[in-house]
Amino acid sequence: MSTPSLPRLQHIVGSGIVAAVGIWVSYVSYTQQPSEAFLFPRLIATVFVVLALWTFAKACLGWTKVGNGISVRQFTNLLPGLLVSLIYIFWAAKAFGFYTATTVAFFILLSLYDPAPHTAVRSWLMRILITACFMVVMYGLFAQLLNVYTPREVFF
Amino acid sequence: MEFLFYMGDVFTPVNFVLLLIGTIGGLILGATPGLSPTMAVALLIPFTFQLEAAQGLILLGAAYTSTVAGGAVSAILLKIPGAPANIATTLDGHTMARKGEGAKALQLSFLASAVGGVFGVLLLIFLTPVLAQWALAFGPSHLFWLAILGVTVIGSLDSKSVVKGLLSGCIGLWLATIGFDDIMGAQRFIFHPALGGGINIIAALIGLFAIPQVITMFAKGRHNDGAEVIKVQKHPISGAFRVLMRSKRALGIGTAVGSVIGLIPGVGGQIAGLVAYDQSKKFSAEREKFGTGHAEGVIAAESANNAMVGPSLVPLLTLSIPGSPTAAVLLGGLLIHGIFPGSDLFDNHPDVAWTFINSMLIGQILMCIFGLYVAGLAARVAQVPQSVMAAVVLGLAVFGSYSVQSSMGDVYVMAALGVMMYFLERFGFSAAPLVLGLILGPIAEANFIQGSMIANATGGMAPYFLGGPLNIVLIVVVIASICYSGYMELRARRYTSKEEIMA
């Protein structure tokens, strides 16, 4: 028996998660009360679960033709950026204040993905300059122009 | 001719300045690879909160129009389409630029865009009120089927897989039910306090369109993406005019194809540009020149992708069905300003509706004027590394979604939906039907509930929802669009399999 190739396995896992969500939505829609509130969700959930199970079955049988999945290289490339972004959004923005957290996250992301060499002083100065310019524009737009009071918390 | 009555409103100082900002900003955003018109408009919505409805829509409409046209700059000078709608422009536009005719290609693209765009907006002006009057006859069951039609048409036509497109639509419809239901006040699918008020549409739009793009840029890693911009030599505008006048057939085909495709929900600018290019080639006396830097190729593609902008708003403003993903985002912009498109839009808010439509007409002309001058600057912006672009878009997405209701919950929803959409896209699901489901879900549910009450008091659910000529027509269109897309998908697969066997 041959081992499933990575995209096929990915398709099985991906469509399996969607199918699990579909089953959960159906279960909740048909069991929760008051039933009048779940009339429309029931209608959607029925179609949702049928299509999701169909997609899952196709993935298991290797019939999925659409979607390239994620290669290991793509995943390793995106992982640091994704982690920094998620930490920034779900924790740092609130804990440190929007502007401080955005400055740090922006600078880290720029440093992680900038093709300019990490050994040259000039490229670091450039990153600092771009970060500072961006934050000035963001502060001008949101704090001054739109009067959006973002969380300031520990820092700013 | 009611639109002429409101024409002066476009030229009030604030409105005109917003139109200028939207046009110039849109040109620059459009020329930036990775920033699609849909994403650009979604990111702009938070900036419209402090504006009046008409002013906000002027900004969004101008950005929509000029991002599509601005995409031609990077398509011609970098061979990177600024948006999917500009793919056909790269075929001849970039070759022209390589031959030292970059300025001519840019001038032709903006002139053709303006001609196509003006024609498209005129269609919008004359078709919308007629259809809006017709839509007055729609009851809850018809509106329910229209909402379902909007989701299924986009789901089946906009996706490579019909089943995955429809499944995306279902996910969107389900997401729309999260929160408290309007009639009983019952909690539905709330498993986190951030979801208590339901999913905010603007935060969702920003997340679904911006975050997958940011992660896609991350996935490319630290590669050197500084594409070489071809230098633009001076070229007299009169020469471009003469070429445009000689290419009436390509201009006519592009404008006609774009206008018709724009009216069909879900088909989009990418298909408009490619079909117009293909048809112009077939009807051209110099068809062998297509692909070798032929002006007609640029004219056909660019007139088509701008001609579809106006008509794509016809189903949106009359029936609440967005004709394109960007129109879906505009619908979000309308709703956030308390404007509900449909039969009574022109009766209740004629000033907003006509000022918005008129601004798109003037915007097309401004886009042409500024496009000819800003093209050089826009090309430089297109060189901005993807690392900077990813960080900028992430920052804008976070601040933009927070500013909707000053709520961290919206930021969490934005991020969660964005990350989910990135992974779903990798497995062949698309954002457009999901967004449509999310936007049209409340409309579908409200009309379904209202319809079921009427049905229970009359002859029952089946006769009410499945009977009557208009219901039957709508159901047939829903089924036909799904079957047609399924057939096209199977045909494309058979064609690919045959090509593989031949190879």
Side-chain angles (χ1 to χ4, degrees):
Chain A
M1 196 177 145
S2 64
T3 315
S5 61
L6 189 63
R8 183 171 163 184
L9 190 64
Q10 283 188 13
H11 278 295
I12 293 170
V13 173
S15 57
I17 293 169
V18 174
V21 173
I23 291 167
W24 175 74
V25 171
S26 288
Y27 175 76
V28 173
S29 301
Y30 281 97
T31 52
Q32 291 282 307
Q33 293 299 325
S35 59
E36 290 86 353
F38 286 88
L39 199 61
F40 185 69
R42 277 178 198 173
L43 194 72
I44 305 159
T46 310
V47 185
F48 185 173
V49 80
V50 169
L51 293 173
L53 289 173
W54 184 351
T55 308
F56 179 59
K58 275 173 76 177
C60 291
L61 295 166
W63 294 350
T64 304
K65 305 285 183 198
V66 177
N68 301 322
I70 303 165
S71 68
V72 176
R73 191 185 173 86
Q74 283 173 327
F75 191 71
T76 49
N77 279 343
L78 72 82
L79 195 60
L82 187 62
L83 285 175
V84 170
S85 307
L86 293 178
I87 292 168
Y88 158 53
I89 291 169
F90 287 99
W91 179 69
K94 188 85 174 73
F96 296 140
F98 254 48
Y99 290 98
T100 310
T102 307
T103 309
V104 174
F106 190 96
F107 185 72
I108 293 173
L109 290 174
L110 209 55
S111 308
L112 278 172
Y113 291 101
D114 187 3
H118 282 150
T119 47
V121 177
R122 194 173 174 274
S123 55
W124 284 107
L125 289 173
M126 200 65 190
R127 284 174 202 133
I128 292 169
L129 187 69
I130 293 168
T131 308
C133 286
F134 175 71
M135 290 318 301
V136 167
V137 171
M138 292 298 275
Y139 184 76
L141 276 176
F142 286 92
Q144 300 298 318
L145 191 70
L146 298 175
N147 296 317
V148 178
Y149 190 82
T150 49
R152 303 285 157 97
E153 304 306 329
V154 180
F155 297 112
F156 180 63
Chain B
M1 292 294 169
E2 195 186 356
F3 76 100
L4 290 174
F5 183 74
Y6 296 97
M7 188 59 89
D9 292 356
V10 180
F11 295 97
T12 63
V14 177
N15 288 358
F16 195 68
V17 166
L18 285 167
L19 186 59
L20 288 178
I21 292 170
T23 305
I24 297 171
L27 282 168
I28 293 168
L29 289 173
T32 313
L35 278 182
S36 67
T38 316
M39 177 177 151
V41 176
L43 285 175
L44 273 175
I45 288 181
F47 294 98
T48 69
F49 292 154
Q50 301 231 336
L51 302 172
E52 288 172 17
Q55 293 170 345
L57 290 171
I58 286 173
L59 185 68
L60 298 179
Y64 180 18
T65 304
S66 51
T67 42
V68 175
V73 177
S74 54
I76 290 167
L77 300 181
L78 297 165
K79 210 187 175 182
I80 305 167
N86 306 105
I87 289 171
T89 313
T90 56
L91 301 172
D92 279 294
H94 186 67
T95 324
M96 280 180 81
R98 289 180 73 90
K99 288 198 295 190
E101 295 181 321
K104 185 180 165 188
L106 286 171
Q107 287 167 351
L108 285 172
S109 79
F110 284 114
L111 289 170
S113 292
V115 173
V118 167
F119 185 82
V121 178
L122 287 175
L123 264 185
L124 174 69
I125 288 170
F126 292 109
L127 277 182
T128 310
V130 180
L131 277 174
Q133 283 302 312
W134 180 62
L136 279 170
F138 284 40
S141 67
H142 310 125
L143 291 171
F144 166 74
W145 282 116
L146 265 176
I148 299 298
L149 175 69
V151 178
T152 53
V153 167
I154 294 256
S156 52
L157 290 176
D158 191 65
S159 308
K160 287 177 185 164
S161 159
V162 179
V163 175
K164 286 187 175 175
L166 295 175
L167 190 47
S168 300
C170 276
I171 295 172
L173 285 168
W174 164 60
L175 289 173
T177 65
I178 291 176
F180 289 91
D181 100 280
D182 289 339
I183 294 169
M184 309 293 290
Q187 283 191 3
R188 298 188 303 192
F189 310 107
I190 300 172
F191 48 90
H192 189 278
L195 296 171
I199 290 184
N200 181 276
I201 192 69
I202 303 303
L205 286 172
I206 295 172
L208 290 167
F209 286 111
I211 298 300
Q213 207 62 48
V214 170
I215 303 174
T216 304
M217 291 183 207
F218 288 157
K220 288 178 185 168
R222 280 188 70 217
H223 74 291
N224 194 352
D225 53 3
E228 191 193 344
V229 176
I230 294 171
K231 282 197 176 146
V232 178
Q233 282 105 12
K234 285 192 173 173
H235 183 266
I237 188 84
S238 56
F241 266 117
R242 277 197 294 276
V243 175
L244 194 75
M245 296 316 286
R246 277 203 308 270
S247 313
K248 286 190 197 95
R249 190 180 290 169
L251 189 64
I253 291 172
T255 304
V257 166
S259 301
V260 172
I261 287 180
L263 282 169
I264 307 167
V267 183
Q270 180 187 343
I271 294 170
L274 289 168
V275 171
Y277 182 87
D278 182 56
Q279 290 304 309
S280 296
K281 188 178 173 181
K282 276 181 184 152
F283 285 99
S284 174
E286 300 172 311
R287 72 185 69 167
E288 71 286 347
K289 286 188 181 174
F290 273 75
T292 62
H294 193 34
E296 285 185 17
V298 176
I299 291 168
E302 280 303 310
S303 56
N305 65 29
N306 256 58
M308 62 80 59
V309 171
S312 75
L313 299 179
V314 174
L316 170 75
L317 295 179
T318 54
L319 307 169
S320 308
I321 301 174
S324 67
T326 321
V329 179
L330 271 176
L331 176 58
L334 279 165
L335 297 176
I336 207 95
H337 285 286
I339 311 279
F340 190 81
S343 53
D344 53 354
L345 173 67
F346 290 87
D347 293 329
N348 293 345
H349 306 281
D351 51 332
V352 176
W354 285 121
T355 307
F356 168 53
I357 293 172
N358 287 336
S359 77
M360 290 193 75
L361 192 66
I362 307 298
Q364 296 286 350
I365 297 156
L366 289 177
M367 174 271 294
C368 181
I369 295 167
F370 285 107
L372 296 168
Y373 290 98
V374 180
L377 171 70
R380 284 181 184 277
V381 175
Q383 277 183 302
V384 172
Q386 301 253 307
S387 50
V388 178
M389 201 50 69
V392 167
V393 172
L394 180 70
L396 277 172
V398 170
F399 276 79
S401 51
Y402 180 83
S403 65
V404 178
Q405 305 181 106
S406 295
S407 155
M408 277 311 287
D410 288 339
V411 181
Y412 299 152
V413 166
M414 180 277 297
L417 285 178
V419 173
M420 178 196 82
M421 197 63 241
Y422 172 77
F423 288 103
L424 284 175
E425 277 180 352
R426 301 304 305 171
F427 297 109
F429 294 86
S430 55
L434 201 150
V435 164
L436 254 292
L438 196 52
I439 291 176
L440 296 177
I443 299 169
E445 179 168 14
N447 285 292
F448 179 72
I449 299 296
Q450 208 179 335
S452 60
M453 286 173 183
I454 298 169
N456 289 334
T458 53
M461 294 287 271
Y464 183 75
F465 278 99
L466 306 175
L470 197 50
N471 278 339
I472 293 168
V473 167
L474 290 169
I475 294 165
V476 167
V477 177
V478 167
I479 296 168
S481 71
I482 295 169
C483 292
Y484 174 76
S485 305
Y487 167 72
M488 293 306 284
E489 191 185 322
L490 279 176
R491 213 174 76 153
R493 253 180 229 165
R494 272 195 210 125
Y495 182 72
T496 317
S497 311
K498 269 185 193 169
E499 272 196 336
E500 280 169 3
I501 292 164
M502 295 289 274

